[in-house]
Amino acid sequence: MITRAGAGPLRRLVVLRHAKSAWPPDGPGVPDHDRPLAPRGRRDAPAAGRALAAADCLPDLALCSTALRARQTWELAAAQWGTPPPVRHDPRLYAADVPGLLAVVGEVPPEVRTLLLVGHNPGLENLVLDLAGDGLDDTLDRVRTKFPTSAIAVLAWRGAEWRALAPGTALLTWVTVPRGRKK
């Protein structure tokens, strides 16, 4: 059941888990933060951008982890749109837990109605499950089962400011896992 967050405009939090990453040829000596996208991730990230455009879920602002795989996911997804929104690369999003993610989201200006968050699991999956007081169709079950790379979840809620977003206050409206085609 959704807890009433209060009056205010309808807002959407779009959560995008980075696309499939790889260990570069240098192997395990590469820091986790510097891991690039794998070939599958390079196919899936543009598919995620196309899926967001097709669903009319383009953001007013994007917040992206500073990890290479998240930045590459953002760049490839946003390249699918005519005019990408501004992006803020925030190191706090790397390996963030739910309170950390909510702290960053809470700093977003109130003019932003649709916010895209590009980051990592388990933080993103936990965020979606914590915020969703309810979900349409089988969306909650799908996220509980698995929130794989390139997964997108859209949460809708009403509130005057982003810092009012709290556990149980949103409705999970859409979940998809876009996949690109091999050439």
Side-chain angles (χ1 to χ4, degrees), residues 6-180:
L10 181 64
R11 298 183 185 277
R12 292 184 301 180
L13 176 62
V14 180
V15 176
L16 170 59
R17 183 176 174 200
H18 67 77
K20 182 72 174 170
S21 61
W23 287 106
D26 301 339
V30 173
D32 182 68
H33 189 271
D34 297 335
R35 290 175 46 215
L37 290 180
R40 188 181 99 197
R42 292 193 163 283
R43 293 188 306 270
D44 293 349
R50 290 189 296 274
L52 288 170
D56 196 26
C57 259
L58 297 183
D60 302 314
L61 174 68
L63 299 176
C64 182
S65 163
T66 55
L68 179 58
R69 60 194 178 272
R71 292 191 328 259
Q72 289 176 331
T73 299
W74 158 252
E75 291 163 4
L76 291 168
Q80 305 303 305
W81 311 329
T83 305
V87 61
R88 294 183 192 159
H89 294 94
D90 193 317
R92 297 175 294 171
L93 297 176
Y94 177 70
D97 58 9
V98 172
L101 292 167
L102 284 174
V104 175
V105 168
E107 296 170 2
V108 171
E111 311 76 68
V112 173
R113 297 289 178 96
T114 299
L115 175 66
L116 174 63
L117 190 59
V118 183
H120 312 270
N121 259 5
L124 292 184
E125 179 178 337
N126 292 337
L127 179 71
V128 170
L129 293 173
D130 281 4
L131 293 177
D134 203 354
L136 297 180
D137 303 320
D138 66 345
T139 53
L140 276 169
D141 288 337
R142 291 178 60 204
V143 174
R144 283 185 193 113
T145 300
K146 189 172 185 182
F147 197 67
T149 55
S150 299
I152 299 169
V154 178
L155 295 146
W157 67 287
R158 289 196 178 275
E161 296 180 334
W162 284 95
R163 67 176 167 232
L165 183 58
T169 62
L171 175 67
L172 183 58
T173 62
W174 187 55
V175 174
T176 190
V177 183
R179 295 293 186 222

